[in-house]
Amino acid sequence: MTVPMYRSTRGSENQVSSTEAIVRGIAEDGGLYVPAEWPGVIEDLHTLKEETYQKIAFRVMAPFLGDFTDGELKACIEKAYDKKFDTTETVVLTKAAGVHFLELYHGPTLAFKDMALTILPHLMMVSAKKLNLDQEIVILTATSGDTGKAALEGFAGVPGTRIIVFYPASGVSQIQKRQMVTQTGHNTHVIGIEGNFDDAQNGVKAIFGDGKLKKRMKAAHKMFSSANSINIGRLVPQVVYYFYAYARLMKKGEITPGQEINFVVPTGNFGNILAGYYAKMMGLPVNKLICASNDNKVLFDFFRRGTYDKKRDFYTTISPSMDILISSNLERLLFLLTGEDGDLTRDFMDRLNKKGEYSITPQMKEKLADFYGGFATEEQTRKTIKQVFSSAGYLIDTHTAVAYSVYQDYLQETGDNTPTVVLSTASPYKFTRDVLTSLDEKYAGRDEFELIKEMSALLKADIPGPLAGLENRPVLHKSICTKDEMQKEVEKRLGL
Ligand SMILES: *Cc1c(COP(=O)(O)O)cnc(C)c1O
């Protein structure tokens, strides 16, 4: 078996193995790692029909991770997708309101980030071992809420690693914040910043890009890596559940093998939906990938006009994990649209950096036909939550509601009746206040922790384990800094 190599989307670097790509996170030239040779097509889709999540994960991930032995990869999968998930199926497909909701939120932090972040630390440890690294791996992450907690859970207590998470101090929900600042584990650091998610992400990027700091790190036997969705070790595990959804639909007799389906993806950093595109490249019969945005609709405009323009107001919405103006993973799609041309991709990224926008060519835009872009306003999002609950008795979170709202627009515009899967990216319990006030104004002004109990009563179901008793856990992380102080904070924590 050949070892698949990864290269940078900006072209100016030698190829690296999958283990190196996972440990480094981001390429030296600032680009993102992409497979230099694409995994083959999975031809015998019907054989997935009876398979478990773990078996499908192995089938889908192995071709991306050629320098892992079968035994190593299987061990990572077993350690990740175990009893941490509150269902033996790992993810659940529920039919309601004319679509199939793919519930990706049954993991330890109740959001879809768990699908990748429960396995990334294991992939990273195996990679470090195979590369004979004697350095401490320092995970540096900016989060819009969900990544931070999921990464903290994943890396807490993992030997040879340390994790530092920056979050926008007033840009995450009360519950998200509480989940992060109560994180245990001697190797965890959680710091709020006075700014939005893009400020946090830019700060992290600047620290990664600081050559002098890198040298000092090396001297101290430390190295930075990333758990953000730019890491290929995040992206590859996300390809799995697109195949799993398809397998479940076949098993339930909803589709026949080979039949095309649509996916609707609530999108922020473009990692989740890109994984769907990779699944399509591996032969999954996908008709449309429907990209759903909130009021920060930079991707909607991109799909309509072919211009990516980040020069606009930033909105804080009730779907905060999608409040993003720079969708980092779009660079990987751009790379494919250019015919895998690193120089062209670098030019586009330079333009985005310097001018705040770039426009793709008409030929590139033609290749975007696999996608449909839509967005939902705050009002539409709230209405959708209420509508789906009253009509189907099924409660969805704010991010999933953005997706369902966009799907309704898509249906109206196209009349396309292809079976459709809506990716459900967070439990409604995670955004309790906005979900409940969408149903009824009577919940306004109440404490979020009390509302968790109200939701449990409404659904006649137990409070999910990870939230039970959260309000009583001690706050262990209290630091807040400005965006200019981020590097100093990191140096302090690492004793540099
Ligand atoms: C991260 C996140 C998203 C956006 O996913 P991307 O991969 O960044 O596009 C959507 N919904 C929820 C709940 C999330 O946590």
Side-chain angles (χ1 to χ4, degrees):
M1 191 173 172
T2 58
V3 175
M5 303 297 268
Y6 284 80
R7 60 172 161 173
S8 166
T9 47
R10 302 191 192 177
S12 60
E13 204 191 331
N14 292 337
Q15 296 187 3
V16 300
S17 64
S18 60
T19 46
E20 282 174 89
I22 288 170
V23 166
R24 291 187 193 189
I26 189 166
E28 302 260 310
D29 61 3
L32 309 187
Y33 286 119
V34 284
E37 235 176 88
W38 281 89
V41 165
I42 297 183
E43 307 265 7
D44 51 350
L45 274 175
H46 62 280
T47 64
L48 301 182
K49 194 166 142 183
E50 300 295 333
E51 295 293 10
T52 61
Y53 192 87
Q54 290 80 353
K55 286 263 170 58
I56 293 177
F58 182 78
R59 278 290 298 279
V60 173
M61 290 174 66
F64 285 101
L65 304 172
D67 42 349
F68 283 62
T69 66
D70 286 1
E72 284 164 345
L73 180 56
K74 280 182 183 156
C76 291
I77 290 169
E78 295 299 322
K79 281 181 200 156
Y81 306 122
D82 63 4
K83 294 211 170 66
K84 285 192 284 300
F85 288 79
D86 69 6
T87 155
T88 50
E89 296 173 285
T90 310
V91 306
V92 176
L93 193 68
T94 300
K95 191 175 180 179
V99 297
H100 303 273
F101 287 96
L102 187 65
E103 299 172 2
L104 300 170
Y105 56 73
H106 290 275
T109 74
L110 308 179
F112 99 97
K113 303 287 193 297
D114 287 330
M115 299 312 303
L117 282 164
T118 49
I119 194 165
L120 180 68
H122 301 293
L123 296 175
M124 216 172 244
M125 288 314 297
V126 172
S127 299
K129 212 173 191 179
K130 289 176 89 75
L131 296 169
N132 289 319
L133 290 184
D134 64 346
Q135 290 152 305
E136 180 180 52
I137 298 176
V138 179
I139 303 295
L140 197 58
T141 290
T143 184
S144 54
D146 291 333
T147 308
K149 180 59 185 179
L152 287 162
E153 275 291 322
F155 282 95
V158 174
T161 71
R162 181 168 295 280
I163 172 162
I164 306 175
V165 170
F166 288 100
Y167 70 94
S170 38
V172 301
S173 83
Q174 193 187 354
I175 293 170
Q176 284 180 318
K177 187 166 177 170
R178 193 72 184 189
Q179 283 185 310
M180 286 192 278
V181 298
T182 57
Q183 179 65 46
T184 56
H186 66 280
N187 63 336
T188 63
H189 305 269
V190 179
I191 304 161
I193 76 148
E194 295 165 4
N196 62 33
F197 170 70
D198 283 323
D199 294 327
Q201 178 151 274
N202 287 335
V204 164
K205 275 188 186 159
I207 296 171
F208 273 126
D210 187 320
K212 271 192 208 142
L213 183 61
K214 202 166 170 182
K215 284 201 186 108
R216 286 166 61 203
M217 290 281 287
K218 200 166 179 191
H221 294 284
K222 294 180 196 299
M223 66 177 290
F224 284 128
S225 189
S226 161
N228 270 28
S229 61
I230 53 177
N231 194 312
I232 198 77
R234 276 279 300 278
L235 202 52
V236 169
Q238 293 181 352
V239 182
V240 175
Y241 47 74
Y242 286 90
F243 280 93
Y244 184 74
Y246 198 84
R248 298 298 297 173
L249 286 173
M250 285 191 292
K251 192 179 161 97
K252 290 181 174 190
E254 295 282 350
I255 56 167
T256 50
Q259 189 179 345
E260 288 195 334
I261 63 173
N262 296 327
F263 288 98
V264 193
V265 189
T267 298
N269 224 358
F270 209 73
N272 199 1
I273 195 167
L274 183 76
Y277 192 65
Y278 281 11
K280 184 174 168 120
M281 289 172 76
M282 288 174 77
L284 193 70
V286 178
N287 173 42
K288 285 282 177 192
L289 289 161
I290 299 166
C291 177
S293 302
N294 61 23
D295 277 329
N296 297 293
K297 57 184 179 61
V298 63
L299 286 167
F300 166 79
D301 293 335
F302 174 70
F303 286 122
R304 290 289 147 119
R305 304 206 317 260
T307 296
Y308 194 96
D309 183 357
K310 68 165 183 177
K311 307 184 304 305
R312 60 180 71 210
D313 290 337
F314 176 89
Y315 298 105
T316 301
T317 72
I318 57 171
S319 46
S321 300
M322 297 158 66
D323 289 347
I324 288 172
L325 293 183
I326 303 170
S327 298
S328 303
N329 264 301
L330 191 67
E331 181 169 344
R332 287 188 164 111
L333 179 65
L334 212 54
F335 181 70
L336 290 170
L337 298 179
T338 60
E340 308 194 44
D341 186 325
D343 291 330
L344 273 179
T345 308
R346 179 160 22 82
D347 284 348
F348 283 120
M349 288 301 122
D350 280 348
R351 245 175 282 169
L352 182 63
N353 234 335
K354 293 192 184 111
K355 303 224 161 73
E357 67 167 88
Y358 62 81
S359 296
I360 59 173
T361 64
Q363 293 91 317
M364 287 169 72
K365 190 157 182 288
E366 261 169 45
K367 294 190 204 166
L368 286 178
D370 293 322
F371 293 89
Y372 171 95
F375 74 99
T377 63
E378 297 286 270
E379 197 194 331
Q380 286 172 319
T381 306
R382 286 185 178 281
K383 259 195 180 148
T384 300
I385 293 171
K386 185 163 184 168
Q387 175 209 336
V388 173
F389 189 66
S390 359
S391 68
Y394 185 69
L395 194 57
I396 55 177
D397 94 295
T398 48
H399 303 77
T400 309
V402 168
Y404 191 81
S405 173
V406 167
Y407 173 66
Q408 285 177 308
D409 293 344
Y410 171 80
L411 207 54
Q412 199 156 43
E413 189 177 321
T414 64
D416 172 25
N417 61 2
T418 303
T420 296
V421 172
V422 173
L423 274 64
S424 185
T425 49
S427 159
Y429 281 96
K430 204 155 180 186
F431 299 92
T432 327
R433 182 193 304 283
D434 290 317
V435 169
L436 284 179
T437 53
S438 300
L439 296 182
D440 195 327
E441 271 305 314
K442 75 176 184 194
Y443 295 111
R446 305 260 312 268
D447 176 76
E448 261 192 71
F449 293 105
E450 253 177 66
L451 290 177
I452 291 176
K453 291 171 194 148
E454 291 280 3
M455 188 175 281
S456 159
L458 182 70
L459 297 177
K460 300 185 181 67
D462 290 339
I463 294 172
L467 290 182
L470 178 63
E471 73 266 43
N472 301 323
R473 280 174 226 162
V475 173
L476 303 171
H477 306 269
K478 292 179 181 154
S479 306
I480 305 272
C481 73
T482 66
K483 56 187 180 183
D484 301 322
E485 291 166 346
M486 288 171 64
Q487 180 156 339
K488 238 194 298 168
E489 278 290 333
V490 168
E491 291 173 3
K492 194 170 88 190
R493 309 282 171 143
L494 298 178
L496 292 174

